[in-house]
Structure formats: structure tokens, C-alpha cells
Amino acid sequence: TGLTTGQRVVTVQEGPLYRVRGSHVTLWCKVSGYQGPAEQNFQWSIYLPSAPEREVQIVSTVDPSFPYAIYTQRVRSRGVFVERLQGDAVLLHITELQERDAGQYECHTPNTDERYFGSYSAKTNLSVIPDTLSASMAPQALTRMDGDAVELTCEVSTSTAQHTHLSVGWYLLQGAGERRTEEILTLSKDFTLKPGPSYEQRFLEGDVQLNKVGNSTYKLIIRGVKPSDQGQLYCEAAEWIEDPDKTWKDISRKQTESTSLAVVSQGRDLSVDIAAAERSLSEGDTLQLRCVVGAPKSSSRHFEVLWLLSDVKVARVDPHGVLIWEEEYVERAKLGQLRAFKPSNTVYVLTIYEVGLKDKGTYQCSVSEMKTPGDLHSIQTNVSSGIQVNVKPTGYHMRLSVSTSTPRVTAGDALILHCEVQGATGPVSLRWWHLPPQQPGRSVLVATMERDGTLSLGSAYRDGGARGSLRLHKESSSTFTLEIPSTLDEDDGGQYSCEATQWSRGRNWTGKGEAAVAVSSMAGLGLHATLRSRVATVSYGQSFELFCQVDASYTLEEVPVSVRWLFQPSLPTGPLHKLVQVFPNGTVVWGTAQPHFQGKAQLAKADTSFRLHIHSALPANEGTYQCEVEVWRRNILPLGQPAASTSSNALGIKVVLPESKLQVATKDSSVEIAGGNAAIECRTVFAQNNSQFAVTWYLLPPLADAMPLQVVRANYSSILEYGSEFSSPAQKSRFLSQRVSSNIFQLQILSANVRDQGRYYCVVEEWLWLVDGWYKLGEGTSGRTTLEFKLPGEQLQMEKTNHSISAREGEEVTLPCQLQGALQAGSHLSATWFQVTGSGRDSALLTLQHDGTMEYPEERLAGRLYLRRPSAGDFSLTLSSVERGDAGAYYCQLQEWQQQSEGKDWALRALARSGYTQLTTIPPESTVLSRICSSPPLLNFILYLPLVLILLLALAVFCCYCKFRK
């Protein structure tokens, strides 16, 4: 429809077509409206019912490599071939139809046109049905006189499910050499009777009839038999089906065994005829020959009969009925293997039991008429025509047909192979072999079935855990089926060979056949997993879903599948942890690393998508998710190692906490003290009522580039944690954090001193309890509060000059500290030495209190630090045994104290700090050279020594000269 002139059209035989297994099938295909050469090429393919979308290439008129492996051998042996009817028409031949040949056939013509225009392929469906037609007739050897009647019956039946018609015909086979078949009478598929040319007149006269008696019995009647009727009579039945194109096709034909008919003439001449119930025999069968003598008044006449095989005498029956065997047959006759007798004066029978190959040939009977029984000379002799008897070795008729209903499978699928043994006349033993494709020339025994049905498996197939329990059983009288429940991998593909052996009388005959299968590995079939979510960020308490979409080139629903969900929290501590795993049998196993998920997560599956649903998200649900998928081969328990596995992409989910409402006062302030205790305040302006707070206090030292120092932190449970600079017991006892009201926090500094000066601030964190724990919602930083000392006294006068001193390691060094001017009466001084550190809060080394007591904050230095004080205002520090780590900047701080009145506390009135002294350490002396170089006088002496020696030498020469002149 819609085609125009010049448009290519491919037409194929209309389907669906039904053909029986084992028959020869043809499909026609032709092309019209094409351009290019008159001889077009054709390619045939099939789409199997098990994989209707997958093309399996069969045969091509142009490309010898076109067939797939499953058809290669059949194409090479012309079991499948293309016959060209003309340049644009072909026939596809399948010489022996198999069950696996069922499917949709496509005929394709490669393009030879200038452009694509029209149709280039056409399809038709072919169904393979069992051959249920049967025809049978008991074989007989009949002798009739000329003019007698003959009746023969034939049983014909079929059980084909499709609507079919039957035709039944009778045929006469004559002649010993060039055999000639003549049709007698046929009941056609249209239920009409059609006589053969030689019997047409007798049919019209009613002497030849064919009647149906009952459902399956057909009777042939020949009245007035003639010598031309003698020969082998048999019945042939055909089953016909109507194709969609309204033509009828014979899909099966069956012939019965034959009945021999001998017609004796009523004339006076002696006639001899020989007949055999069966001419084609196998070793061990029984051969029966009948020699019929035709002669008028035969009962009063005397005959002697000779049995001949290929013109050699076998036996003689004299006119008295005495049997004489030839010498080479005597022993067999004694064993009961031969028998010859005459049931009547005109019928002679020769029977050979268990025929052998030596019994084949042309049999004749020679009849001589004697005037009297004792005469030695015959009146007349007539020899029958020869009848050829063929004896085939047992097993000669045995034919093997190997096929598979699973030509292409995925690892884990079952393999089903059929071995059909036809024509076997004795017990059969069977062996299946596997020919691995990766090991050419090697055969692996799969299974054996002995003649008595005993089954044994090859060593590679005895472990039922790998491939399952193999089955080898006899499906019908001639079909053996091997079933391997579960294939392992590609190595189970290749050729499978069936070897059938027929046993008879101590001998055996073997036939072989092969079928090819292809096994695809699951690991190489593209297993892939993708993890996705509709949202990547969820709010606290909101639910979310993760979808693990699995893709594979095989049907995932038909194989065992396991899905493992993995999770890693936002702050990773290692690899992802197993969250939960769903096994193929539905068992759910939760991991122990993240127990809070159990009870909140819901698992589901739809087709090839696996879903993880998290109810009421918590911050603990924030992190990275991943899914892992494992698949196993079908039909194997226990599962063992997976056949394939894959991991999805990692997917991050962020859980947003409730918004913090915290506000902290950020205004800067200052606190001035002259001594005693100090209090620094931190105030929240707004916060949620159900929140808890953690407060961390920081000090910014006076130095401009100093880093903030953590003083103390009070968490939401009021547990104190001190910074490293404030972790000594003395410091912990002086710095305390307190919450004095709902929105005011204080840092208490007890016995504040000048070193505590600086800018203080707090960081307030808002914490909220959310179902499973405390979570930080936010934080705020306060303004800076400057702590300063205001002393009532006058400023002390000190030496402010900076110094630089070098000291050799191991020696002693003194660092200067001098008070300038006089003290007020009643005042006492305290002195503290500091070493400058990078943190901004310098390290106190030694303190001389105003009451004269000495303190060493750095106890490790107590034995090396001295205040010798040669005068009242001299607080120079002596450091003994200088070490490399002593290098750095030092300074001292003096404080003036006065007692207000007798028995009162001492109060700080003034303070001052010296300049910096930079100490450089020198490695210790190690060589003489170093001593010389470090001593300038000695070095100068060595440098001037040569000059002195020259001058002394010149002076000596001059004195010698003067003495000589005198």
C-alpha cells in the first residue's frame, strides 16, 4: 500500500506457517521494483521467540561469513541453503527442521538502488510442531490364483493440534533391479478417490475399491487379481495443512511395511515366483522367503525345489519333502538358525534367523518337475526371478540429531540439550561431552547413561553446588535430554557432543552429533548503578529519598540481587560504613556503625530501582551516600561469590539545622583597676528560650601582631576547659567563667596583675537538643573589653636602653636591670624577669616578691637563675650554664608596693619595665684554631711573626758584615 512505480518491494511467503519437525522446509522470497543488476542478493535471518528483538543471521547469497555460529555447520553441510529460482527470487531450504528453527524469518535484500526507496526486507513466522502422523500395515506374503480377490487394511492416525487433512494411497512396487512404483488408488485430502493410470478402468468397473472403516482404518479391495498385480503392495499416508495463501502443503508422509502378492497363472505352464516379507534387513533380523509354484493340478504333480543365493546352492527339497542343506549351512541349521519346509505342494518356505552380512544377495528358487518322485531327470525346470535382499550392520539405520532449546544464555541460566537417536534396534548407551572453545581439541565428559539407565557424571560436574544438579533423562523412546541447571561463565559455552552407542550381540555401533551454545558472562554485560535524589539539601525534620537505579543488559528481575547502602558522615573518619544490606532472599541486615538509621529508614524496590527513604532528617543523617549492587547466577544455592557487582556514584546530602536567633552585644568597653579582682562581661541580646550556651573567653595581648589566647571555655553543660597558656593550677584558680543571669556571662579574674592587661572578648555558641543529641545552631562574638591598670603612685624610673649580649654555651651571663632614682620611704620593690615568646603572652622566669620571697614559675630554670643584687636598685639576672635554647629577648619589670597602715595589705603603687636584652648563644670551643681565632692578641702575634724573623735575620747579616770589615 502506498508504493509507486520504481519502488523496491520484497515479498516473502505469507505466514504463519506450520511444519513438522524433521521435515524438509522451503520458504520463498522475491524482490521487484529494484534498480541495479538483474541478479539480486538475499540474506535470511531469524528472530527466536526467546529473544524476539535479537537478530540471528542464517545464510546469505553473497557473504559466506554471514551465518552466526549456531548455523555455520548446518550451512557448510548444506543442511541449510539458498536455491536461486531466478535473478530476483530464491528458496530457503531447511533439509531437516528442528525445534530451534521456530521463529520469525526475515528475508533482506541489500540495496543496489541509487537511493533508498521502498521496502528492503519482509518477515514471516514459522512454527515447528511434532510429527504425529502414523501409518501401519502388518507385512504378509500372499499368493493368489489369477482371478481371486485381495483385501488389505491400513491404519492411519494423527493428533496434530492444527487443522489438517489426510490423504491415503495404495501403491504397487515391482521389479528386482530398476524398481517401478505404480499408484493403485488414493483417497485425496479433498476426500475424492483417484485411481492410478493402470487401474482407472478397473476402478470404474468397481473391481478396485478403497473404503474407510472406522476412524482410522482404510481397506483396499482388488477383485479379479491379475499377474500384473503381483509385487510389493504398501500404503502411504500424507498430512496436509492449508497455508495463509490458501494453498495446501503436505507436511508429513509415512509409508507402511509392504505385503508381497504372488499371482499364480491358471495356465498349464509351470510358473515360479519368489517373495520376501522384508527385503531390507539389519543384522539379527529374520528373513523369510516364499517360493510359490504355479501349475494346474499341482496336487498330483512332483516338484523338486532348489534355494539359491547369488547362484550358489543353499538347500534342496526333493519331491518327497526331504531337506538337504549344502555343507556350509549344515552347522547353522543344526543350531536352529536356518529352516526350510513346504507347507503345501506349491508353497516352499526358507527362513533364516539372525541374518548376518554374509546372508545378503540375490535369492532365487529353482523348481524342477519330476515324472515320478524317484526320477533323476526333470520334465521341466523353471527358475524364479531374483529377489535382492540387503543386510545392513546393526546401527546402520541409527541417526543422531542434536539440538538445544537454549542456544544463547547468560551465565546462571540453564542449558538444555536434546539428543534424538532414531533407527536404533537395540539398547543404547549415551555420553555427553563438552568441547571448551578456549581449549581446542579437548573434550570434557559431562554425563553418561548406560544401557540399563545407570547415570554417572563427569568429574567436573559432580559438585552440584556450582552448576546445580545435572539431569540426564530419556524424554521419549528416542530422545535423551541433558539439563545443566546453572551455567558458570563463558567457558561453559562452545560445542556439546552427544555420543550414542547401540549394542547388539556383543558388537556396538556409535554415532555422534554436536550442538553449539553461547554463554555470556554477567560481569561483561554492563551492570551499572546510578544514585540520585530529588533534593541535595533538606531541612531538619524533613524526609528525603535516595534512588539506586540499576541497569544491565540482562533481565535483572530473573537473577538474585543484593543491594548494600553505604554512608559516611559529614566529617569523614575513614571509608564508607555499611548502613543496611538487602539480600536476594529478602533478609535485611543493618550495619552497626550508624545505628540511629534503623527505625528511621524505609527500603523499597520497584523493577530495577531500589529506594532508601529517610524519615525526619537529623544532622546525623548528613553525609555521603552510595549504593552497591551484587548479582548472582540463576538457579544456584547457596549463592557463593557474586557473578558481578557495581558501585554507584557518591551522593552528598546536607541537613540544614533550625536557624539560630542568637545575637551578642558587640559594643567595645574598658575596665580600669588598681589591683584586686576584675570582672569582664559578655551579654546576649536575643536567643531562643530552649537553647543552651557555650562561652569561650579570649585575650588579645598588648602586642599588635599577637594571636588571641583562649583563656577558658564553659560548654553548654558548664564544664570548664582552659587554654594552654592558662592551664597551670595557679592560673585556673584565678580565671573563672560564670553565668550571672539568663543573658549575662562574666569572666572573673582573681588577684589581677599587670600581666593580665589586654583586650578580652567572648564567643557565645547556641546549642539545641534535637532528638538524639546536642547540635550547634550558631555563634556570636562580643565586642572587645580592655582591661587596664591605673596606679596611684609616680612612675618608676628604669634603664630603658636595649642591649645585645653574646654568651658561649656552658658559660655564665648577666642580663642588666637597674632602678634609677630613689624610692619613697616605706616602699618595697618586687621584680619579675620575662622571656619574650611568640604567643604574645611572655613567659615569667623568676619573681622576687616585695616581702623578699623568690618564686620560679619555670621550675626547670630554678637552679640556673640568680639575682645577686650588688646594690639595692640592681636587679640584674645571672644565667649560668648557658644553653642554645636560652637565646632570645629578655626584660624585667619592677613594681612598687606600700602598706597602707600597720597590719593592712600591701598595695601596688607604681611599676616600670626595662628595655630588651637580646641574648645570642655561641657554640663551645672545639679546636686550637678556634682558640687562636677567638683571641685577637694571639692572632696578631702569629700574623706578625714572619716579619719579625726577617728583621732578625737582616740584623744578623749586618753584624757579620761589620765584624768582617774590622
Side-chain angles (χ1 to χ4, degrees):
T1 303
L3 297 176
T4 62
T5 304
Q7 194 167 352
R8 178 182 288 256
V9 179
V10 176
T11 309
V12 73
Q13 189 169 343
E14 185 179 357
L17 303 174
Y18 296 91
R19 300 293 185 264
V20 300
R21 187 177 63 186
S23 63
H24 186 134
V25 175
T26 60
L27 299 174
W28 59 260
C29 179
K30 59 185 178 180
V31 60
S32 61
Y34 56 87
Q35 299 175 354
E39 185 172 284
Q40 294 285 297
N41 285 310
F42 294 81
Q43 294 175 337
W44 286 91
S45 301
I46 186 174
Y47 296 84
L48 300 174
S50 59
E53 301 299 324
R54 184 185 303 159
E55 178 187 7
V56 179
Q57 298 174 180
I58 301 175
V59 65
S60 168
T61 60
V62 63
D63 183 3
S65 64
F66 183 77
Y68 280 4
I70 190 175
Y71 281 100
T72 300
Q73 185 59 37
R74 295 173 69 187
V75 171
R76 288 176 180 170
S77 63
R78 289 190 63 81
V80 177
F81 64 93
V82 177
E83 176 190 2
R84 186 177 291 279
L85 301 178
Q86 55 188 47
D88 53 9
V90 296
L91 273 180
L92 172 67
H93 287 261
I94 303 175
T95 59
E96 187 173 351
L97 191 65
Q98 302 176 10
E99 287 185 0
R100 61 174 174 169
D101 295 327
Q104 186 179 52
Y105 284 76
E106 180 180 42
C107 175
H108 174 75
T109 60
N111 182 36
T112 60
D113 308 332
E114 294 180 355
R115 61 191 181 95
Y116 283 93
F117 190 44
S119 66
Y120 290 82
S121 66
K123 295 180 179 180
T124 188
N125 285 306
L126 174 63
S127 296
V128 180
I129 60 177
D131 186 359
T132 61
L133 178 65
S134 68
S136 62
M137 180 181 68
Q140 304 176 69
L142 302 178
T143 302
R144 294 291 184 268
M145 299 301 293
D146 189 1
D148 289 348
V150 173
E151 291 187 2
L152 299 174
T153 59
C154 179
E155 296 290 333
V156 179
S157 65
T158 184
S159 58
T160 303
Q162 286 69 30
H163 176 71
T164 58
H165 288 185
L166 296 177
S167 64
V168 180
W170 292 88
Y171 297 85
L172 174 63
L173 183 63
Q174 295 177 316
E178 292 291 329
R179 312 190 86 186
R180 178 171 56 88
T181 302
E182 188 169 353
E183 181 182 7
I184 300 174
L185 185 59
T186 298
L187 177 62
S188 72
K189 65 180 183 302
D190 303 322
F191 314 109
T192 59
L193 291 170
K194 297 181 179 178
S198 300
Y199 288 86
E200 186 173 356
Q201 185 60 37
R202 297 167 68 184
F203 168 73
L204 295 175
E205 294 173 353
D207 290 339
V208 178
Q209 297 178 1
L210 196 159
N211 299 323
K212 185 177 182 182
V213 182
N215 291 330
S216 60
T217 304
Y218 298 81
K219 180 183 288 187
L220 173 68
I221 302 172
I222 303 176
R223 297 186 179 91
V225 295
K226 301 177 179 180
S228 60
D229 295 327
Q230 68 181 5
Q232 304 291 320
L233 285 79
Y234 65 90
C235 168
E236 181 178 273
E239 187 172 10
W240 300 75
I241 193 168
E242 187 178 18
D243 287 342
D245 61 1
K246 303 304 179 183
T247 61
W248 286 85
K249 170 64 180 174
D250 56 327
I251 59 176
S252 180
R253 287 184 176 272
K254 295 291 173 64
Q255 287 185 2
T256 68
E257 296 183 84
S258 59
T259 291
S260 66
L261 174 62
V263 180
V264 180
S265 175
Q266 298 284 355
R268 292 201 51 85
D269 292 339
L270 180 67
S271 65
V272 181
D273 189 63
I274 189 171
E278 180 62 51
R279 298 186 183 188
S280 182
L281 304 169
S282 296
E283 285 184 289
D285 290 346
T286 298
L287 171 64
Q288 187 179 73
L289 300 168
R290 293 170 63 91
C291 181
V292 180
V293 180
K297 299 179 181 181
S298 58
S299 60
S300 59
R301 299 168 70 174
H302 309 285
F303 305 107
E304 181 181 78
V305 176
L306 288 178
W307 287 101
L308 306 172
L309 170 57
S310 301
D311 297 326
V312 177
K313 291 181 183 180
V314 176
R316 178 170 64 90
V317 181
D318 69 10
H320 295 289
V322 178
L323 173 63
I324 299 99
W325 292 100
E326 291 298 310
E327 183 179 356
E328 61 181 294
Y329 292 95
V330 171
E331 186 63 30
R332 294 177 65 186
K334 289 179 180 179
L335 295 174
Q337 297 177 2
L338 303 175
R339 185 186 179 204
F341 64 99
K342 67 173 193 175
S344 68
N345 199 37
T346 57
V347 177
Y348 297 81
V349 178
L350 172 64
T351 304
I352 303 177
Y353 302 100
E354 298 185 5
V355 296
L357 298 178
K358 60 186 176 182
D359 296 320
K360 67 179 180 179
T362 302
Y363 285 83
Q364 293 174 295
C365 65
S366 173
V367 180
S368 300
E369 185 178 2
M370 305 296 182
K371 188 172 184 180
T372 62
D375 285 352
L376 298 177
H377 302 285
S378 62
I379 300 173
Q380 59 175 333
T381 299
N382 197 355
V383 181
S384 71
S385 59
I387 183 170
Q388 181 69 32
V389 174
N390 186 27
V391 180
K392 300 174 182 177
T394 303
Y396 181 86
H397 292 288
M398 189 173 70
R399 291 187 298 111
L400 259 69
S401 175
V402 182
S403 62
T404 176
S405 53
T406 54
R408 287 184 175 272
V409 297
T410 302
D413 291 345
L415 277 186
I416 301 175
L417 300 122
H418 308 282
C419 184
E420 186 173 4
V421 182
Q422 296 178 330
T425 58
V428 173
S429 63
L430 204 74
R431 288 193 175 194
W432 280 98
W433 299 85
H434 177 217
L435 286 63
Q438 71 280 8
Q439 298 176 352
R442 180 170 178 259
S443 298
V444 179
L445 180 63
V446 179
T448 299
M449 179 180 283
E450 301 297 345
R451 288 173 285 174
D452 58 0
T454 303
L455 177 65
S456 61
L457 301 178
S459 58
Y461 294 84
R462 289 173 189 160
D463 180 13
R467 296 181 177 87
S469 299
L470 271 68
R471 294 182 61 220
L472 175 55
H473 58 97
K474 196 170 184 179
E475 194 171 284
S476 65
S477 61
S478 60
T479 302
F480 299 81
T481 298
L482 172 67
E483 182 176 352
I484 302 176
S486 180
T487 49
L488 293 179
D489 47 34
E490 299 101 321
D491 292 345
D492 279 348
Q495 297 287 333
Y496 282 82
S497 172
C498 173
E499 183 181 285
T501 303
Q502 178 181 332
W503 302 81
S504 179
R505 299 175 187 88
R507 300 178 63 190
N508 62 79
W509 296 263
T510 299
K512 296 181 180 180
E514 293 182 358
V517 296
V519 180
S520 301
S521 169
M522 299 181 73
L525 289 179
L527 183 66
H528 180 70
T530 304
L531 185 62
R532 58 184 178 84
S533 174
R534 294 189 178 95
V535 292
T537 302
V538 296
S539 300
Y540 164 78
Q542 179 184 352
S543 299
F544 64 93
E545 284 184 331
L546 301 174
F547 299 90
C548 183
Q549 179 65 45
V550 183
D551 298 311
S553 56
Y554 44 88
T555 306
L556 203 64
E557 290 83 352
E558 297 180 1
V559 297
V561 181
S562 168
V563 177
R564 183 186 298 110
W565 290 93
L566 305 176
F567 173 72
Q568 185 183 59
S570 294
L571 299 176
T573 58
L576 276 75
H577 304 292
K578 184 178 83 169
L579 194 61
V580 63
Q581 184 170 4
V582 183
F583 289 92
N585 61 358
T587 301
V588 177
V589 177
W590 290 90
T592 58
Q594 303 291 332
H596 57 276
F597 277 91
Q598 191 170 359
K600 292 177 59 64
Q602 179 182 354
L603 302 166
K605 177 182 181 294
D607 297 329
T608 59
S609 179
F610 300 86
R611 185 182 66 175
L612 175 65
H613 183 95
I614 306 295
H615 297 277
S616 302
L618 296 174
N621 302 138
E622 179 177 312
T624 302
Y625 293 81
Q626 191 177 30
C627 67
E628 291 182 350
V629 180
E630 296 175 332
V631 296
W632 284 263
R633 295 179 291 111
R634 295 184 182 95
N635 309 319
I636 283 296
L637 289 174
L639 293 176
Q641 291 297 318
S645 62
T646 185
S647 297
S648 74
N649 55 295
L651 181 65
I653 295 294
K654 181 175 179 58
V655 179
V656 180
L657 295 173
E659 184 179 356
S660 175
K661 306 296 184 182
L662 177 66
Q663 297 181 22
V664 179
T666 58
K667 185 178 180 180
D668 294 340
S669 61
S670 64
V671 174
E672 293 182 354
I673 61 171
N677 301 334
I680 311 296
E681 279 194 358
C682 178
R683 186 186 304 268
T684 60
V685 179
F686 183 82
Q688 301 182 78
N689 294 331
N690 55 346
S691 297
Q692 294 293 329
F693 301 97
V695 179
T696 305
W697 291 94
Y698 293 91
L699 166 63
L700 283 171
L703 296 179
D705 57 349
M707 296 294 295
L709 303 177
Q710 179 183 327
V711 181
V712 62
R713 168 183 168 83
N715 66 11
Y716 53 77
S717 300
S718 299
I719 297 175
L720 299 181
E721 302 172 10
Y722 286 86
S724 60
E725 299 288 337
F726 297 85
S727 59
S728 67
Q731 296 285 61
K732 288 182 178 180
S733 65
R734 294 179 55 238
F735 289 87
L736 302 173
S737 178
Q738 296 179 342
R739 185 174 183 176
V740 298
S741 68
S742 62
N743 68 326
I744 298 177
F745 303 88
Q746 276 189 353
L747 174 65
Q748 296 285 340
I749 306 176
L750 306 179
S751 301
N753 58 52
V754 177
R755 289 189 63 217
D756 299 330
Q757 290 186 115
R759 291 177 297 163
Y760 291 83
Y761 66 93
C762 72
V763 176
V764 182
E765 302 170 3
E766 182 178 13
W767 290 77
L768 190 64
W769 177 264
L770 299 176
V771 181
D772 62 339
W774 289 94
Y775 292 94
K776 179 180 174 181
L777 302 186
E779 65 178 34
T781 303
S782 70
R784 272 53 172 171
T785 299
T786 303
L787 176 63
E788 297 178 325
F789 272 77
K790 292 296 182 181
L791 302 177
E794 295 182 358
Q795 184 74 22
L796 292 176
Q797 298 299 317
M798 291 188 66
E799 173 64 46
K800 298 287 188 178
T801 304
N802 294 330
H803 300 276
S804 178
I805 298 177
S806 297
R808 191 171 304 282
E809 295 178 19
E811 296 182 352
E812 183 180 276
V813 66
T814 299
L815 309 179
C817 178
Q818 296 285 338
L819 175 67
Q820 295 179 346
L823 287 176
Q824 293 186 8
S827 295
H828 288 189
L829 289 176
S830 68
T832 303
W833 272 95
F834 296 91
Q835 184 177 16
V836 179
T837 64
S839 66
R841 186 171 176 84
D842 299 336
S843 176
L845 305 177
L846 172 150
T847 299
L848 173 65
Q849 298 291 356
H850 60 80
D851 59 359
T853 61
M854 192 76 73
E855 293 180 0
Y856 295 93
E858 294 287 344
E859 294 182 2
R860 62 184 178 83
L861 299 175
R864 296 171 53 215
L865 301 177
Y866 305 97
L867 288 179
R868 294 208 170 105
R869 300 195 65 191
S871 63
D874 190 344
F875 293 89
S876 297
L877 176 67
T878 298
L879 177 61
S880 65
S881 300
V882 172
E883 299 174 359
R884 181 180 299 180
D886 296 334
Y890 295 80
Y891 67 91
C892 73
Q893 180 177 278
L894 300 181
Q895 297 177 349
E896 181 184 2
W897 299 81
Q898 277 191 348
Q899 191 174 23
Q900 302 298 323
S901 59
E902 188 70 26
K904 297 293 184 180
D905 290 337
W906 289 80
L908 179 66
R909 293 188 55 81
L911 59 84
R913 196 176 73 175
S914 71
Y916 292 100
T917 298
Q918 182 68 38
L919 174 63
T920 303
T921 62
I922 300 173
E925 296 176 341
S926 58
T927 65
V928 174
L929 183 61
S930 64
R931 290 181 178 272
I932 294 173
C933 294
S934 62
S935 175
L938 182 59
L939 180 61
N940 290 337
F941 172 77
I942 294 174
L943 292 175
Y944 287 106
L945 180 59
L947 181 59
V948 173
L949 293 176
I950 293 173
L951 290 175
L952 290 175
L953 180 60
L955 181 58
V957 171
F958 178 74
C959 291
C960 291
Y961 175 75
C962 292
K963 187 176 182 181
F964 177 76
R965 289 289 305 264
K966 289 180 179 180

